[in-house]
């Protein structure tokens, strides 16, 4: 749900031209944005989270602003990332990470599986070291994680044909999972894609960011009979926590749910993967309310 408030009319100057516009305040997921809209419904100016300001411009004017002398540039992922108190050395070798989370608003999937969340402190244990990862689930509980969806098209013939070239029917579940994670890691060019992530589109384009990696991995795993889900939250890279998406795969021979990150080629994923949500793309919208508000304090690491 979003709340939109009309705040009156104001003059907006863009490209030397002054236009009368309606000023609207929009509150969504704990975030507040202000937009100036003309009588045709076109957004002329917008001020949002992290102090970012957007202004409508023609193509030539916009490109001149980007490439002009002295023009600045900013990386959105860097702006949205979080610098924790302290650093994490060799995160891929850790078996345990304990952090304090500050500024959390809303309900998140912080507790369960390899994660334990108590009184603002989140503890993550690498699955190979975790005791009681979760009792083994039954077929009914896992059925939803095997079904095809509009964006995880695990029943599509192209997905199934691709899977046949990746795994051997005689492989164990864990071995199939390892091969699928490695294949997605090797075969996708890693760069941003501005679209709703779709497994089939990603398979055809062989390009994508973490979301495309995650939906394609989920589709291939489900096609192989391995329950799979998309998880999203934060991951530690180069001294900061960045918003990221990865997978959880249910493997009976590994004792339950195991995380997998096809972008980084990790199976299981390292303990700096802090899960906040699980599920379809709309669940990731819940993360928007954290941007610019969340703080992380490193409390403990262990190998």
């Amino acid at each position: 749900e979003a709340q939109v408030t009309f705040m009156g009319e104001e003059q907006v100057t863009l490209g030397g031209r002054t236009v009368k516009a309606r000023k609207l305040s929009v509150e969504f997921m704990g975030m507040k944005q202000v937009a100036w809209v003309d009588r045709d419904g076109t957004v002329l100016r917008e001020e949002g989270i992290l102090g970012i300001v957007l202004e409508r411009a023609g193509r030539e004017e916009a490109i001149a602003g980007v490439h002009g002398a002295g023009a600045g540039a900013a990386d959105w992922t860097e702006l949205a990332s979080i610098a924790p108190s302290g650093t994490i050395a060799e995160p891929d070798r850790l078996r345990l990470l304990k952090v304090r989370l500050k500024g959390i608003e809303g309900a998140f999937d912080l507790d369960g599986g390899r994660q334990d969340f108590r009184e603002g402190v989140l503890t993550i244990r690498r699955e190979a070291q975790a005791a009681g990862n979760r009792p083994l689930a039954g077929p009914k509980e896992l059925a939803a994680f095997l079904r095809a969806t509009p964006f995880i098209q695990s029943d599509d013939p192209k997905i199934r044909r691709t899977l046949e070239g990746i795994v051997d029917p005689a492989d164990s579940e864990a071995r199939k999972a390892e091969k699928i994670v490695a294949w997605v890691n090797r075969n996708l060019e890693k760069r941003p894609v501005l679209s709703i992530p779709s497994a089939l589109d990603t398979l055809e384009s062989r390009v994508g960011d973490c979301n495309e990696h995650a939906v394609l991995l989920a589709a291939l795993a489900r096609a192989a009979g391995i329950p799979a889900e998309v998880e999203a939250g934060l991951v530690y890279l180069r001294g900061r926590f960045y918003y990221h998406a990865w997978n959880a795969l249910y493997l009976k021979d590994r004792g339950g749910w195991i995380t997998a990150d096809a972008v980084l080629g990790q199976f299981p994923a390292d303990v700096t993967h802090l899960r906040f949500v699980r599920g379809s793309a709309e669940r990731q919208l819940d993360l928007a309310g954290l941007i610019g508000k969340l703080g992380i304090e490193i409390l403990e690491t262990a190998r």
Side-chain angles (χ1 to χ4, degrees):
E1 294 183 358
Q3 180 177 330
V4 181
T5 305
F6 174 61
M7 302 176 69
E9 294 188 337
E10 289 186 359
Q11 300 289 331
V12 177
T13 301
L14 298 173
R17 185 170 62 96
T18 300
V19 182
K20 181 182 286 189
R22 301 183 185 95
K23 185 179 181 180
L24 303 174
S25 169
V26 183
E27 293 191 37
F28 174 69
M29 300 297 296
M31 298 182 296
K32 185 175 180 179
Q33 293 177 269
V34 179
W36 287 261
V37 183
D38 69 13
R39 64 178 58 190
D40 297 322
T42 300
V43 178
L44 304 176
R45 178 182 172 90
E46 192 170 330
E47 296 179 359
I49 57 174
L50 302 176
I52 294 174
V53 177
L54 304 176
E55 289 189 350
R56 184 173 180 83
R59 172 181 168 81
E60 291 184 3
E61 182 184 1
I63 292 175
V66 172
H67 298 295
D75 185 334
W76 165 254
T77 57
E78 194 74 24
L79 287 172
S81 66
I82 301 162
S85 64
T87 59
I88 302 175
E90 299 181 295
D92 57 325
R93 299 184 62 183
L94 297 180
R95 62 175 177 82
L96 179 143
L97 172 66
K98 186 178 292 187
V99 300
R100 187 182 303 280
L101 302 179
K102 304 173 184 178
I104 295 179
E105 297 178 6
F108 294 99
D109 299 323
L110 288 164
D111 195 55
R114 72 179 198 155
Q115 295 191 182
D116 180 78
F117 186 62
R118 296 288 183 274
E119 299 180 349
V121 175
L122 178 65
T123 303
I124 308 98
R125 295 178 176 84
R126 195 175 178 93
E127 286 91 332
Q129 305 292 334
N133 186 28
R134 192 194 273 187
L136 289 175
K140 289 184 178 179
E141 185 181 348
L142 296 173
F145 306 110
L146 286 167
R147 283 197 292 265
T149 70
F151 299 108
I152 300 177
Q153 306 97 327
S154 52
D155 58 354
D156 189 273
K158 292 180 181 178
I159 296 287
R160 294 190 173 277
R161 282 197 300 271
T162 301
L163 177 68
E164 290 173 0
I166 300 172
V167 303
D168 189 289
D171 290 335
S172 66
E173 279 189 341
R175 183 59 181 147
K176 288 179 181 178
E178 290 171 356
K179 287 183 175 181
I180 293 170
V181 172
W183 187 91
V184 175
N185 173 263
R186 288 194 310 268
N187 287 276
L188 291 194
E189 181 184 349
K190 292 158 181 58
R191 59 181 171 86
V193 174
L194 297 177
S195 67
I196 297 175
S198 159
L200 193 56
D201 290 347
T202 302
L203 179 64
E204 293 175 349
S205 69
R206 303 293 177 96
V207 171
D209 54 35
C210 59
N211 291 294
E212 281 73 30
H213 283 69
V215 294
L216 180 55
L217 176 55
L220 291 167
R222 291 183 185 186
I226 299 171
E229 186 59 292
V230 176
E231 297 189 340
L234 296 165
V235 67
Y236 184 82
L237 294 168
R238 302 180 301 279
R240 303 179 70 91
F241 279 94
Y242 293 84
Y243 288 92
H244 189 52
W246 58 91
N247 295 90
L249 307 178
Y250 190 86
L251 304 170
K252 292 189 292 292
D253 52 357
R254 293 286 294 273
W257 290 100
I258 307 294
T259 51
D261 187 334
V263 173
L264 301 179
Q266 296 181 352
F267 180 63
D270 70 48
V271 293
T272 71
H273 289 69
L274 313 185
R275 183 194 69 235
F276 279 79
V277 298
R278 288 187 77 184
S280 50
E282 61 267 22
R283 282 301 324 272
Q284 294 190 32
L285 287 174
D286 294 344
L287 295 173
L290 295 173
I291 297 176
K293 300 177 181 178
L294 186 63
I296 301 176
E297 179 185 357
I298 309 298
L299 299 178
E300 181 184 348
T301 62
R303 293 187 181 182

